[in-house]
Amino acid sequence: RYAEAGCLLTGASTGDAWSAIDYVWALMHDLAIPRATALPAVAEALEDARLPQLAERCHGNSLQGNPRALTDMELVTVLRAMRDAAHPRYLCL
């Protein structure tokens, strides 16, 4: 599905998930659309001091499909990486 989305978004005959992500990322930049993490309410929720509390609340339905359960500290790492990454491609955990 992601490869198809990449083809549809970019007009290329072949694509992958990254081509779709790169296209949307570049479009957001070109249109000056801020990252969700830059919005004041989200930025406040993602402050380091608040990440452990947020991680505790992340164990709901959205994580039920993970192959293994994540600890709160692992979730803090994921949240921090998501917040700090310059681009999804460079999300380092």
Side-chain angles (χ1 to χ4, degrees):
R1 293 186 304 197
Y2 296 111
E4 184 179 352
C7 291
L8 292 170
L9 286 169
T10 65
S13 59
T14 61
D16 59 20
W18 284 117
S19 63
I21 292 167
D22 289 341
Y23 179 84
V24 170
W25 199 259
L27 183 63
M28 288 176 58
H29 180 267
D30 292 347
L31 297 175
I33 297 171
R35 292 177 55 179
T37 55
L39 300 173
V42 177
E44 182 180 327
L46 292 174
E47 291 175 355
D48 279 338
R50 298 181 88 180
L51 289 179
Q53 182 183 21
L54 180 60
E56 288 176 13
R57 292 188 255 158
C58 287
H59 293 286
N61 292 336
S62 65
L63 292 180
Q64 297 304 313
N66 280 4
R68 72 173 183 83
L70 297 174
T71 66
D72 285 349
M73 286 309 299
E74 289 170 322
L75 285 168
V76 166
T77 300
V78 169
L79 291 165
R80 188 176 288 124
M82 176 205 68
R83 177 197 68 197
D84 296 341
H87 182 285
R89 189 180 288 267
Y90 308 115
L91 196 121
C92 299
L93 301 176

